[in-house]
Amino acid sequence: MIPPTSDRHLWRWHLAALLSTLALTALLHGAALTMGFARDDGFNLFNAARLSPLTYFFDPATLKAVSASALTPWNLLVYDINVTLFGLDPRWHHLHLLAVVWACAMATWMFLRLWLPEMAALLAALLFLTGTPVVFISHEQMSGHYLYGLLFTILAAWSFVAAVRSGGAGLALLSGLLYMLATSCKEVFVPLPVALLLLPEGTLARRLRVSWALWLAVAAYTGWRWVVFDGSLLGPRGVPLQPQEALRQVAGMAPLLFSQAWILLPAAVILAVWRKALSAREALFLLVLAAILVAPLLPVTSGVGLHEPDRLLLLVWWTLACVMGAFAWRVLGQRRMAMVALMIAAGAMQVWLSQPWRAEIAQVKQRWSQWYGAVLDPRPGMLHLVLTGDGGYFWQKFHLDGMRMAARALGQPFNPQVQVIDNQDDLAEAGADPSAFATYDAALGRLRTASGPQELRQWAAALPRRQVDVYVFRRMPQMAFNPQGTIERVQAHGAVVTVTGAVPPSDLGRNFLVLSPVACGGTVAHDPAGTMRGRFELTLACADAQAARQAAGLLCVAVASGSQISVPAGHPGGRCDRLTWQHHDLRK
């Protein structure tokens, strides 16, 4: 522990930290205020506009639906705060993110002051702001829960250390509560109690005595996850790990953050050991810390992957910034100007390394601002947005439809005549006037209409055929259900259940959601050209005849089109009535 600064001078450090972190946040990340919505924003805004926090935090089926394979209700809460306070103005949404970035920097300074002098703690907090993961996350609203998770983690760690030093039960309880909030943000923050138990602060016995609230939070989180994922702690997808690929991506994390300069990291550790600035206990702590930072990222290597220095590396980067600040003080503490110069050089290198990523972020935001801008443009006129695979996100239609539904739910202006087209069949049914079709032109940086019938045919050739997927749930999430369409017949033949019916033609060709008390696999058949005008035949293959009869008597079928879900009438026994009882039709 370092000697505290006298109260007479401490206020100056508080002011310096506040102003310097605020100024650097604005300088490095203020450009986010000029950028619009992007990627997952559409569907998340739609969910936030119609679901209450009590629903997406505590209704297991809904939480599972909005969080996919993760447990991240805080993601939706960030959007909920934004739409409640700011509607659909992206400038204020991004200002909210920047405020949390700044709060993380201030919390970092406060946390490091527990061990480091004010100058070293402030330099580390400023270095954190220069990292490329912070650039990514400050421009992506869909990553706001990572920022809140980091903020809660820092404050939980500070409270824990304060509790170890003072023995206060209140601080121990605060640490557990803050940690519980962090776990609701993202799984990468779950291993925090292990790191705190090994933290070189006080004795192990004392750390164990004040960690009771953390372990209560771990138990609560474990039970919560068990209920949401139907008795699985790993989530619905498990951990599909490919060891060789995982090792390759983990080894590439340092080059992603530091490019060719990553070799300086082991060199710094060797220097610290040589100068006796790192004890054996601290070295062991850093090794374990590295393991628990990497472990939650391993499942990601088989999914989206660790290919960019983005939100997935935020916690890793924050930890490195703190360690670099501590090493700089340990090695160069007696040479203040050398320490300052080293940390400034490290920050400048980070700013330089982030420039190509900044350009890529700007290009992505420009494309999405054009898509979302067309959806939210209140000027009337039919426009077909054709998603021709220009490097856009794989769920573009899903999120663009979600933005339209969010605008309707919030009473914001939008163009109801915009149709988002992502397959050949929808394009063929939309007409043949090239002037009514538009796509994003990367060279121009804006939307443009088709030049003629030939180009329209080229766009169609680049699109896939219409696809239909069937998803079977034990519990149906509270989505935007609308009573539309009709179930004509539900019949069990042996181990097979057949459901026939009709829904509005615009709804056909998306996804079928089946609520069934037993697990059955499903396929659906209909005329892709749409000549059946919305009629479908759904087939469910169950384990045996008894399971098929049980499913036929209790199932509920819904049809999802974009972000909208329709529930046809006529299910046996009014099985679906409860789904539409409290959900008004958002399309009216």
Side-chain angles (χ1 to χ4, degrees):
M1 189 187 306
I2 61 170
T5 302
S6 65
D7 292 340
R8 187 165 61 90
H9 298 292
L10 187 57
W11 72 269
R12 297 178 182 177
W13 279 110
H14 282 301
L15 183 61
L18 188 151
L19 294 179
S20 60
T21 53
L22 186 62
L24 196 61
T25 299
L27 178 65
L28 295 181
H29 310 294
L33 298 176
T34 64
M35 299 183 181
F37 295 113
R39 299 205 180 189
D40 292 9
D41 292 343
F43 188 61
N44 285 327
L45 287 166
F46 179 38
N47 281 330
R50 62 191 174 76
L51 296 174
S52 73
L54 288 176
T55 299
Y56 55 74
F57 266 86
F58 301 113
D59 179 63
T62 301
L63 177 54
K64 183 178 178 180
V66 300
S67 297
S69 60
L71 195 62
T72 57
W74 202 274
N75 178 35
L76 211 52
L77 184 61
V78 175
Y79 283 95
D80 215 334
I81 294 170
N82 286 333
V83 297
T84 301
L85 296 178
F86 314 124
L88 293 180
D89 189 336
R91 295 169 299 179
W92 289 100
H93 291 225
H94 282 100
L95 184 61
H96 177 192
L97 278 187
L98 294 186
V100 184
V101 169
W102 170 73
C104 286
M106 284 296 295
T108 302
W109 179 72
M110 182 180 72
F111 175 65
L112 292 178
R113 279 187 63 243
L114 293 170
W115 299 279
L116 303 181
E118 284 77 7
M119 173 67 77
L122 180 55
L123 289 173
L126 294 174
L127 178 62
F128 160 72
L129 289 173
T130 65
T132 306
V134 185
V135 176
F136 268 91
I137 211 164
S138 65
H139 289 70
E140 287 186 340
Q141 294 179 61
M142 69 178 192
S143 303
H145 55 305
Y146 280 84
L147 275 175
Y148 270 102
L150 178 61
L151 178 61
F152 295 142
T153 296
I154 300 170
L155 295 177
W158 181 92
S159 302
F160 179 82
V161 174
V164 170
R165 293 180 179 180
S166 67
L171 287 169
L173 176 60
L174 178 61
S175 177
L177 293 175
L178 289 167
Y179 166 68
M180 190 65 196
L181 292 177
T183 63
S184 69
C185 295
K186 197 64 182 178
E187 284 83 354
V188 293
F189 305 108
V190 172
L192 176 65
V194 179
L196 294 180
L197 275 186
L198 296 174
L199 191 68
E201 179 67 42
T203 65
L204 177 58
R206 191 170 183 86
R207 294 196 299 274
L208 283 170
R209 280 199 301 271
V210 300
S211 66
W212 57 270
L214 293 172
W215 300 113
L216 286 178
V218 169
Y221 176 79
T222 302
W224 186 30
R225 192 174 183 88
W226 183 271
V227 171
V228 171
F229 293 132
D230 300 316
S232 170
L233 295 180
L234 299 178
R237 300 176 187 173
V239 184
L241 196 61
Q242 301 175 9
Q244 186 175 357
E245 177 62 18
L247 182 61
R248 186 190 68 80
Q249 292 187 32
V250 168
M253 287 166 53
L256 279 176
L257 291 171
F258 298 99
S259 188
Q260 299 302 318
W262 71 268
I263 194 65
L264 295 177
L265 292 178
V269 174
I270 294 171
L271 177 62
V273 172
W274 178 62
R275 293 291 299 270
K276 297 181 180 180
L278 188 66
S279 67
R281 179 185 178 188
E282 291 167 337
L284 177 62
F285 168 71
L286 291 180
L287 285 174
V288 175
L289 183 61
I292 64 177
L293 284 172
V294 169
L297 297 176
L298 292 178
V300 179
T301 60
S302 298
V304 294
L306 302 172
H307 305 303
E308 296 179 334
D310 56 9
R311 63 191 184 278
L312 296 172
L313 299 186
L314 178 69
L315 183 59
V316 174
W317 167 246
W318 176 82
T319 304
L320 287 172
C322 293
V323 171
M324 290 167 69
F327 276 6
W329 176 66
R330 287 280 187 90
V331 176
L332 300 171
Q334 303 302 317
R335 302 176 182 178
R336 177 170 293 190
M337 293 308 298
M339 179 182 68
V340 171
L342 177 64
M343 294 297 284
I344 290 177
M349 182 184 70
Q350 279 296 307
V351 172
W352 178 68
L353 291 174
S354 69
Q355 293 310 308
W357 297 109
R358 288 178 182 272
E360 180 177 318
I361 291 169
Q363 292 174 0
V364 171
K365 297 286 282 191
Q366 174 65 17
R367 177 169 58 247
W368 278 93
S369 67
Q370 290 288 307
W371 290 123
Y372 280 132
V375 171
L376 296 176
D377 187 347
R379 291 174 296 182
M382 174 61 73
L383 179 64
H384 304 291
L385 294 179
V386 183
L387 309 182
T388 53
D390 58 356
Y393 201 42
F394 61 97
W395 271 10
Q396 278 182 318
K397 177 176 174 58
F398 185 69
H399 293 296
L400 291 174
D401 285 342
M403 180 63 78
R404 177 165 47 196
M405 303 306 298
R408 178 178 280 111
L410 294 168
Q412 300 286 318
F414 68 99
N415 186 348
Q417 294 180 290
V418 170
Q419 181 188 8
V420 183
I421 294 177
D422 64 350
N423 63 82
Q424 297 179 17
D425 304 293
D426 283 354
L427 191 148
E429 296 170 9
D433 180 9
S435 65
F437 294 82
T439 194
Y440 180 77
D441 190 315
L444 298 176
R446 60 175 176 82
L447 296 177
R448 68 169 179 85
T449 57
S451 59
Q454 182 177 355
E455 185 174 38
L456 196 57
R457 288 192 292 270
Q458 293 173 351
W459 291 359
L463 296 174
R465 296 300 303 270
R466 181 186 288 153
Q467 297 179 351
V468 178
D469 294 315
V470 179
Y471 300 93
V472 180
F473 297 86
R474 292 289 184 91
R475 297 168 296 181
M476 191 72 83
Q478 295 187 28
M479 309 297 276
F481 299 113
N482 297 282
Q484 295 188 105
T486 304
I487 295 294
E488 297 172 350
R489 186 181 62 178
V490 179
Q491 192 170 9
H493 301 278
V496 174
V497 178
T498 302
V499 183
T500 57
V503 290
S506 61
D507 282 348
L508 202 60
R510 303 299 166 222
N511 300 319
F512 280 75
L513 311 180
V514 180
L515 178 63
S516 171
V518 295
C520 301
T523 59
V524 65
H526 68 92
D527 183 352
T531 56
M532 295 175 67
R533 307 306 300 166
R535 296 180 60 81
F536 66 87
E537 181 177 289
L538 176 67
T539 302
L540 299 174
C542 304
D544 51 41
Q546 181 180 357
R549 288 193 298 272
Q550 187 179 5
L554 296 173
L555 63 77
C556 172
V557 176
V559 185
S561 176
S563 299
Q564 187 67 35
I565 299 179
S566 300
V567 178
H571 286 82
R575 173 70 167 164
C576 291
D577 291 350
R578 67 180 182 85
L579 295 179
T580 59
W581 180 53
Q582 292 181 329
H583 294 272
H584 61 281
D585 188 347
L586 296 177
R587 289 200 274 199
K588 291 182 179 178

